[in-house]
Amino acid sequence: PIFDEVGVEQGGVNSSDLYKVRNNEQLSVPQDTNFGVNFTNSDVHIASIGQADDTVLISNDLVKLKFLLKLTLDFCKKYHIELSPTKTKLQLYLPSSLSHYQDLYKNSVGIDIEGTLIEFVDSTEHVGVIRSVHGNFPHILNRFSSHNKAVHSVLPVGLARGNRGNPASSLRVEKVYGVPVLISGTASLVLKQSELNILNSHFKSKLENLQKLHQRTPDPVVYFLAGSLPASALLHLRQLSLFSMITRLPENILNRIARYVLTTSKDSYKSWFIQIKLLCHLYSLPHPLTLLDCPLSKSASKLKFKNSVIEYWQRKLRNESSHLPSLKYFKPHFMSLQTPHPLWLTCGSNSYEICKAVVQAKMLSGRYRTDQLLRHFTDNDGSCTLCKGDTNTGGIEHLLLLCPALNHTRIELLGKLDKNKNIRDQTKLLIGSYYHKGKNMIQFILDGSVLPEIIKIRQKEGTQILNEIFSFSRSWCYTIHRTRLKLIGRWTN
């Protein structure tokens, strides 16, 4: 057994509360000095920042910073606490106009703890955030590394691109294990648009891999099939949630800083609270000052922010898809960013059905490698390679319904449909009516869940109709795909 005679137990239930009883003095004494940093034309003064047992001392003068450290050392001596010089970091932040004075500042005053000189470092971790004098990229790259490690640790359960796990399950694992790691600590940073773009690109690439889609699949397809918001939207939700917490703490210094910045600074000012102001404008939310004056409850704010963010991104992604000719059969107006697409949800855990669904998803995304698409990279002018001597355009419509070389395959598929006992007779009649009329048959094969008739049946009878339709349509897509590859000599088991 370990008996604690001094201090508080590491990891104890009450340790954080007990430590605050002593640690508050370490924070309050520096705050009573004038050695910290003052906001221009305001009464807000900051000399110390604390989180649990992590403390940061701040000053715009190295000599004053040395006095702040002396106050902390006196506190440690009073309460029998020892500071570790090896764990204490010293950073120097300078505006770009004064960067050439960096060496002069570093050599002007030496800061030590009991004779051990504290060296200047470019980056250090504080409360899970990599603080770097070079900006936010070190923290973002650290998040990418941690995110990959978190997701890769569960790849053996079927998440890898070469495995046959259901993407719906993979996306759920990503949401639970991956996203919190990726966003951790980032919400407190003021990110540039270029940094947000890098974050979005990394997250989108991960969703593409989990859904086994081709690279550079259009954003609307990736996010609507996954039922997920982009990384920047997830980050915005975290930021708005943090601000909501600040609004409910009227006596907190952050509340005072927020009011000062929002009432005196321009939109070009590099502040976290100005970023919140821009987010509120982007998502049609009340002005931050209004939220500070009339704070919402935790549950009400989360619901309002989530609905506003989802509505904005659904509208934005739907508008993007409408301008892409390759997404002719992709209808995001009937899809959600909160749950995966029925294409994934209806294939269950059967590895063969999952392979079929992946082919269907690639066809729906407009990135399936048809002859028409490959004309940009080959000598072929886009004509179907299976139609010898003809000049039929080798698009997705021709491949699924019109190609003469695949007529026998289509007849076999219809014959199997008649013998399929897992599909009800009324559903078979519905499939037959679409096939023989020819109208909307391509849409029915690629994604029948968006057709008005199917939507009405689903609302009336439940999801069974979707299970039956996608069971038929993914078999149709996969069988046509497999037969085509065999005929051109590219099929490998």
Side-chain angles (χ1 to χ4, degrees):
I2 299 175
F3 300 100
D4 295 318
E5 297 179 356
V6 178
V8 295
E9 182 182 0
Q10 182 77 17
V13 176
N14 298 322
S15 296
S16 61
D17 294 331
L18 294 174
Y19 187 81
K20 289 175 184 177
V21 173
R22 304 298 185 193
N23 192 41
N24 281 343
E25 182 180 331
Q26 181 186 4
L27 300 174
S28 60
V29 171
Q31 281 294 120
D32 294 335
T33 69
N34 292 320
F35 296 160
V37 177
N38 280 88
F39 276 79
T40 306
N41 299 325
S42 75
D43 60 347
V44 178
H45 172 267
I46 301 177
S48 59
I49 301 174
Q51 177 69 33
D53 62 343
D54 286 339
T55 302
V56 176
L57 301 176
I58 299 177
S59 179
N60 53 13
D61 187 300
L62 285 173
V63 177
K64 293 180 179 179
L65 183 64
K66 191 171 184 179
F67 284 115
L68 292 177
L69 178 60
K70 179 64 170 60
L71 294 175
T72 297
L73 292 174
D74 291 343
F75 161 81
C76 293
K77 185 177 181 180
K78 178 179 179 181
Y79 292 104
H80 306 287
I81 299 173
E82 293 185 6
L83 289 185
S84 173
T86 58
K87 292 183 179 181
T88 304
K89 308 297 180 182
L90 182 61
Q91 288 185 281
L92 176 64
Y93 291 88
L94 287 172
S96 56
S97 59
L98 298 178
S99 59
H100 53 285
Y101 288 112
Q102 185 173 9
D103 293 335
L104 177 62
Y105 283 117
K106 288 183 177 180
N107 296 325
S108 60
V109 177
I111 296 181
D112 65 275
I113 296 179
E114 297 181 354
T116 302
L117 186 66
I118 306 302
E119 297 182 356
F120 287 89
V121 296
D122 289 338
S123 63
T124 185
E125 183 176 356
H126 177 64
V127 200
V129 181
I130 304 297
R131 304 292 182 180
S132 173
V133 299
H134 302 300
N136 298 320
F137 272 113
H139 175 77
I140 293 175
L141 294 177
N142 177 265
R143 290 299 89 207
F144 288 172
S145 176
S146 299
H147 178 236
N148 288 333
K149 184 177 180 181
V151 176
H152 291 177
S153 64
V154 290
L155 280 181
V157 302
L159 273 68
R161 181 180 280 270
N163 294 348
R164 296 184 177 183
N166 190 330
S169 301
S170 303
L171 293 166
R172 177 62 178 170
V173 171
E174 163 67 22
K175 184 176 181 179
V176 173
Y177 290 93
V179 171
V181 175
L182 178 63
I183 306 298
S184 176
T186 311
S188 61
L189 304 178
V190 182
L191 298 181
K192 302 176 183 177
Q193 186 58 48
S194 58
E195 295 166 341
L196 282 176
N197 292 340
I198 293 175
L199 190 67
N200 280 329
S201 178
H202 170 83
F203 185 60
K204 181 196 169 187
S205 176
K206 188 65 65 176
L207 293 183
E208 283 177 341
N209 289 333
L210 292 177
Q211 296 179 92
K212 304 170 177 60
L213 298 172
H214 289 303
Q215 292 182 352
R216 298 184 180 179
T217 297
D219 291 2
V221 176
V222 174
Y223 295 123
F224 275 112
L225 289 185
S228 171
L229 291 166
S232 58
L234 297 172
L235 178 61
H236 292 163
L237 284 173
R238 293 287 185 92
Q239 291 178 311
L240 291 169
S241 179
L242 282 177
F243 181 73
S244 177
M245 179 186 67
I246 294 172
T247 63
R248 295 189 293 274
L249 300 172
E251 303 300 326
N252 192 281
I253 191 172
L254 291 175
N255 196 296
R256 294 166 55 198
I257 295 175
R259 291 182 181 276
Y260 169 74
V261 172
L262 292 171
T263 53
T264 63
S265 302
K266 298 180 179 179
D267 290 350
S268 58
Y269 185 63
K270 293 182 179 180
S271 168
W272 189 83
F273 294 105
I274 293 297
Q275 196 172 64
I276 292 297
K277 177 182 175 181
L278 298 177
L279 290 182
C280 289
H281 177 72
L282 178 67
Y283 295 121
S284 301
L285 293 168
H287 194 279
L289 287 174
T290 303
L291 294 175
L292 287 168
D293 292 333
C294 304
L296 301 172
S297 65
K298 181 178 180 180
S299 57
S301 62
K302 295 188 74 170
L303 180 62
K304 186 177 183 64
F305 295 155
K306 183 178 180 180
N307 290 339
S308 298
V309 171
I310 291 176
E311 181 182 353
Y312 170 83
W313 281 100
Q314 286 185 162
R315 185 171 61 251
K316 177 180 173 63
L317 293 173
R318 286 166 181 169
N319 183 59
E320 287 182 10
S321 68
S322 65
H323 293 87
L324 295 175
S326 60
L327 301 184
K328 181 179 178 181
Y329 300 104
F330 185 77
K331 308 294 184 182
H333 291 83
F334 303 95
M335 302 176 190
S336 170
L337 288 176
Q338 300 185 67
T339 57
H341 193 276
L343 185 148
W344 301 131
L345 296 175
T346 57
C347 58
S349 59
N350 188 307
S351 60
Y352 187 43
E353 296 300 318
I354 293 168
C355 285
K356 296 178 184 179
V358 170
V359 173
Q360 186 180 12
K362 291 177 180 178
M363 290 182 175
L364 179 62
S365 70
R367 294 301 182 268
Y368 179 77
R369 305 319 194 203
T370 61
D371 293 311
Q372 185 180 22
L373 181 65
L374 293 177
R375 73 185 186 279
H376 301 291
F377 314 102
T378 63
D379 296 332
N380 190 354
D381 61 354
S383 300
C384 178
T385 56
L386 300 180
C387 298
K388 307 290 185 180
D390 294 331
T391 57
N392 297 322
T393 302
I396 194 67
E397 298 89 350
H398 176 80
L399 177 66
L400 292 177
L401 287 181
L402 304 175
C403 183
L406 299 171
N407 279 339
H408 181 69
T409 302
R410 287 189 281 269
I411 293 173
E412 287 184 347
L413 286 169
L414 292 174
K416 291 180 180 179
L417 173 63
D418 293 334
K419 300 177 182 178
N420 193 331
K421 297 181 180 180
N422 295 323
I423 298 180
R424 295 171 298 174
D425 292 338
Q426 55 266 39
T427 305
K428 293 177 182 179
L429 292 174
L430 181 64
I431 295 173
S433 66
Y434 275 101
Y435 181 79
H436 294 296
K437 291 180 181 179
K439 184 179 180 181
N440 290 331
M441 185 57 185
I442 294 293
Q443 183 66 65
F444 184 87
I445 292 175
L446 294 179
D447 183 10
S449 65
V450 301
L451 293 171
E453 186 177 1
I454 307 301
I455 293 175
K456 291 179 181 179
I457 297 175
R458 183 186 62 183
Q459 292 174 342
K460 182 179 179 180
E461 301 180 0
T463 59
Q464 184 177 0
I465 183 67
L466 294 182
N467 292 328
E468 296 171 341
I469 287 176
F470 277 102
S471 175
F472 165 78
S473 61
R474 63 173 168 261
S475 294
W476 186 285
C477 294
Y478 181 77
T479 306
I480 293 292
H481 159 77
R482 181 182 61 189
T483 305
R484 172 177 177 263
L485 292 185
K486 286 182 178 180
L487 291 177
I488 63 178
R490 291 182 50 199
W491 176 258
T492 55
N493 294 327

